[in-house]
């Protein structure tokens, strides 16, 4: 994970169902890993560290997030997210196409924000899964 990038993390809003998290929890249970709490899924975007927090917030709320169904978490470069949960982040391997990020990069260029263009705002995307409660990290990765 790039520590020199803004992280925009989007999760289903509190009280909203999380079908991806529920499906992942069923899959992990079928592989022998019984979690004691819920497993929440989310999607994330890495944005350039050179952006100001206010600009990242505009991009997150106006473009990336569904304001009705998702909660937004902004994590500054070099900052560690304090969620009280263990998090598994899944990124595409280098060289693998990232169409979600490519679309976000092009759309950010259309937001008409000062100093930002399609060429200067490269984006990467990822998926994350958060498990509440104690989880054996090694067993989690093996499942």
């Amino acid at each position: 994970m790039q520590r020199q990038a803004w992280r925009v993390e989007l999760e289903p809003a509190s009280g909203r169902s999380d079908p991806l998290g529920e499906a992942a929890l069923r899959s992990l249970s079928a592989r022998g890993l019984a979690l004691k709490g819920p497993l929440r899924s989310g999607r994330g975007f890495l944005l350039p560290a050179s952006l100001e927090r206010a600009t990242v917030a505009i991009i997150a709320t106006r473009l990336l997030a569904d304001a009705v169904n998702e909660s937004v978490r902004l994590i500054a470069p070099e900052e560690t997210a304090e969620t009280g949960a263990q998090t598994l982040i899944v990124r595409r391997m280098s060289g693998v196409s990232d169409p979600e990020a490519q679309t976000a990069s092009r759309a950010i260029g259309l937001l008409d924000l000062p100093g930002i263009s399609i060429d200067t705002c490269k984006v990467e995307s990822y998926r994350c899964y958060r498990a509440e409660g104690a989880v054996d990290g090694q067993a989690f990765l093996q499942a």
Side-chain angles (χ1 to χ4, degrees):
M1 178 63 60
Q2 289 183 11
R3 306 239 351 132
Q4 291 298 320
W6 280 96
R7 288 172 43 199
V8 176
E9 294 191 346
L10 312 167
E11 291 184 358
S14 181
R16 296 280 183 187
S17 66
D18 183 2
L20 290 176
E22 293 165 7
L25 183 62
R26 285 191 303 274
S27 292
L28 288 171
S29 294
R31 296 184 63 94
L33 181 67
L35 300 178
K36 299 192 185 329
L39 184 69
R40 301 289 289 173
S41 70
R43 48 194 191 103
F45 296 89
L46 299 175
L47 301 176
S50 60
L51 298 177
E52 298 290 327
R53 179 177 282 277
T55 303
V56 173
I58 289 169
I59 291 168
T61 57
R62 287 181 52 195
L63 179 67
L64 301 176
D66 174 346
V68 173
N69 294 309
E70 292 178 313
S71 64
V72 177
R73 178 183 304 113
L74 302 180
I75 304 163
E78 299 296 330
E79 183 178 294
T80 302
E82 298 296 331
T83 63
Q86 291 183 320
T87 304
L88 173 67
I89 294 177
V90 181
R91 292 181 59 198
R92 287 178 170 81
M93 294 180 66
S94 179
V96 175
S97 174
D98 190 350
E100 192 172 17
Q102 292 167 348
T103 300
S105 289
R106 286 194 298 271
I108 288 168
L110 298 173
L111 283 177
D112 199 28
L113 295 169
I116 295 180
S117 70
I118 293 171
D119 298 324
T120 62
C121 193
K122 298 298 180 197
V123 177
E124 290 181 48
S125 70
Y126 61 92
R127 299 285 176 208
C128 56
Y129 298 90
R130 293 189 209 301
E132 300 290 335
V135 177
D136 177 353
Q138 198 60 26
F140 191 48
L141 291 174
Q142 289 175 352

